[in-house]
Amino acid sequence: MKIGIAGAGLLGRLAAWLLAHAGHAVQVFDPAPDPEPRFDGQGAAGFTAAGMLSPLAELESSDPELAALGWHSIERWGHIVARLAKWSPAAGKPPHFDCNGSLLLAHGPDLGAARRVLARIEAGASGWPQQPLALDAARLRELEPALQSGALHAWLLPGEAAICTIRTLKALQATAPGVQWHWGQAVRALGPGRLELAAGWQTFDHVFDLRGVGARPDLPVRGVRGETVWLHAPDVTLHRPLRLLHARHRLYLVPRPGQQIVLGASEIESEDRSPVSLRSAVELMAAAHSLIPALAEGRILRLDRNLRPALPDNRPCIHHEPGLTRINGLYRHGWLLAPALLDQALSDTGLMT
Ligand SMILES: Cc1cc2nc3c(=O)[nH]c(=O)nc-3n(C[C@H](O)[C@H](O)[C@H](O)COP(=O)(O)OP(=O)(O)OC[C@H]3O[C@@H](n4cnc5c(N)ncnc54)[C@H](O)[C@@H]3O)c2cc1C
């Protein structure tokens, strides 16, 4: 079938890749000038994301139904990244996916707050094989020697994963067979089987609206600002994402290839796309330094920000009508949910079995 996709962010690229591999003729339209990340707060949120795949930790603010989608997605990302690694052009850097679990950490004075978070996670995960596992200092040192384990409380969240967002988005775009990518072309309006571009309406057998925050006013989507700090820290080796439960500041650290670590992320109810504030940068870096003093000699590669697309109930939605599918509201768990939501949507429409 002839498929038109509005948006070449996380959902748009993954949908194009899946549909093209299923034999459909796919065209994708996006206002970005080219497929590269921009780091100016304007492009796809998917590039800014830290790539934590945390069905357990996200139970603090979501529910078991979303977590179940997350477990499905982790399995799917494992297969997808393996295929991308095989097919990426020899010159490109292969995407990266780790499934070593993640750690929840708390300094001594924050133990009470940490226990409350753990209680919510354990309630949401009751009956599942994956449960938070308390670690003593020796086990923590074994898992993450870079941590000054003495004064920390720690729990392992088994089965959680992390994905290298930038490399994965690039590889999805580069290896989707026969897809026509139309850069610099914003979709002005859309409807069942049609997209309006600067040159006029184009018709398709089926259209996907995957524009994230750009889907307004068709959907009541809002942007929730998030900021990250990218460090080059060759002196600090991490084997899995870390999440610090701090009474005031939430922080996670995600290791990336090339001795890089992403610190994230602020969560601010604002659609401001301007550069990262001093306050957010100081809070993220101070919390990270409190956890791993050796990060002091890390070098700041960049500060980034973007908007998470969220619907009023902060839950994702899939909306179908003949000739048109809209998916939106992936909020703070887009990477965690995208494969599961697309599997469901493509099977509902009969475009993939
Ligand atoms: C700081 C930060 C950290 C995050 N960390 C994580 C994490 O660790 N784990 C996780 O699971 N999720 C994380 N997320 C969330 C995740 O990035 C988003 O949920 C996800 O990117 C949403 O995917 P999307 O495809 O709906 O939107 P996007 O990735 O934003 O893509 C939307 C695309 O639509 C295009 N578009 C807009 N308007 C138009 C138009 N008129 N016509 C055509 N195209 C248009 C845009 O240019 C863009 O390319 C994070 C997000 C942020 C900001």
Side-chain angles (χ1 to χ4, degrees):
M1 288 176 77
K2 188 180 168 197
I3 309 285
I5 298 180
L10 168 57
L11 281 172
R13 290 180 192 221
L14 183 56
W17 190 85
L18 292 168
L19 287 162
H21 280 289
H24 298 289
V26 183
Q27 297 191 45
V28 185
F29 302 84
D30 196 291
D34 57 45
E36 297 299 310
R38 293 165 69 188
F39 310 124
D40 60 358
Q42 299 296 328
F47 279 118
T48 309
M52 304 249 290
L53 306 176
S54 310
L56 281 171
E58 288 291 305
L59 280 169
E60 185 195 352
S61 56
S62 68
D63 57 52
E65 197 191 324
L66 292 191
L69 293 174
W71 291 120
H72 174 86
S73 290
I74 287 179
E75 201 185 324
R76 290 285 277 133
W77 277 128
H79 293 129
I80 292 168
V81 168
R83 288 171 71 187
L84 290 176
K86 210 159 91 193
W87 294 337
S88 284
K93 294 184 176 150
H96 197 81
F97 171 82
D98 276 324
C99 195
N100 297 331
S102 73
L103 295 185
L104 277 185
L105 302 165
H107 293 296
D110 298 319
L111 182 58
R115 287 222 166 103
R116 281 193 289 279
V117 171
L118 271 166
R120 281 203 289 280
I121 293 175
E122 282 163 356
S126 89
W128 293 357
Q130 304 89 349
Q131 294 284 334
L133 198 68
L135 302 175
D136 62 20
R139 182 76 180 117
L140 178 57
R141 249 194 321 275
E142 211 177 289
L143 287 176
E144 292 295 348
L147 287 172
Q148 295 212 326
S149 54
L152 282 173
H153 299 280
W155 296 264
L156 175 68
L157 302 184
E160 292 205 339
I163 188 164
C164 180
T165 54
I166 294 175
R167 289 189 185 181
T168 304
L169 288 177
K170 285 175 144 187
L172 285 170
Q173 188 268 329
T175 66
V179 172
Q180 291 179 40
W181 301 90
H182 301 280
W183 303 109
Q185 294 204 40
V187 171
R188 295 176 166 186
L190 53 77
R194 55 198 210 126
L195 294 175
E196 189 191 9
L197 303 152
W201 287 93
Q202 281 199 26
T203 56
F204 299 88
D205 296 316
H206 199 94
V207 157
F208 285 86
D209 179 2
L210 308 177
R211 292 174 290 170
V213 178
R216 223 168 22 210
D218 295 343
L219 291 174
V221 64
R222 73 184 195 285
V224 179
R225 176 176 166 97
E227 297 155 301
T228 53
V229 179
W230 291 66
L231 297 178
H232 181 235
D235 298 336
V236 178
T237 303
L238 296 178
H239 301 93
R240 54 187 55 71
L242 313 179
R243 205 180 272 255
L244 180 65
L245 299 173
H246 187 283
R248 282 174 195 277
H249 320 298
R250 288 302 168 84
L251 166 80
Y252 52 72
L253 295 87
V254 185
R256 284 284 171 85
Q259 303 176 313
Q260 295 183 17
I261 295 178
V262 186
L263 311 182
S266 60
E267 189 161 336
I268 302 170
E269 278 295 341
S270 161
E271 296 202 342
D272 178 1
R273 293 180 185 264
S274 68
V276 174
S277 68
L278 176 137
R279 177 182 174 161
S280 294
V282 167
E283 286 179 357
L284 289 171
M285 289 190 270
H289 180 247
S290 78
L291 197 60
I292 308 178
L295 280 176
E297 287 308 315
R299 295 295 185 259
I300 299 167
L301 295 178
R302 76 178 163 268
L303 304 172
D304 197 13
R305 73 285 184 189
N306 216 311
L307 302 182
R308 306 170 177 95
L311 291 167
D313 60 0
N314 289 341
R315 291 180 62 83
C317 87
I318 301 177
H319 171 86
H320 293 297
E321 55 189 284
L324 174 63
T325 298
R326 300 179 196 271
I327 311 178
N328 214 310
L330 273 61
Y331 186 35
R332 47 181 277 163
H333 359 254
W335 283 87
L336 180 64
L337 301 179
L341 292 173
L342 281 169
D343 280 353
Q344 193 179 320
L346 299 186
S347 139
D348 291 347
T349 49
L351 291 165
M352 269 176 63
T353 45

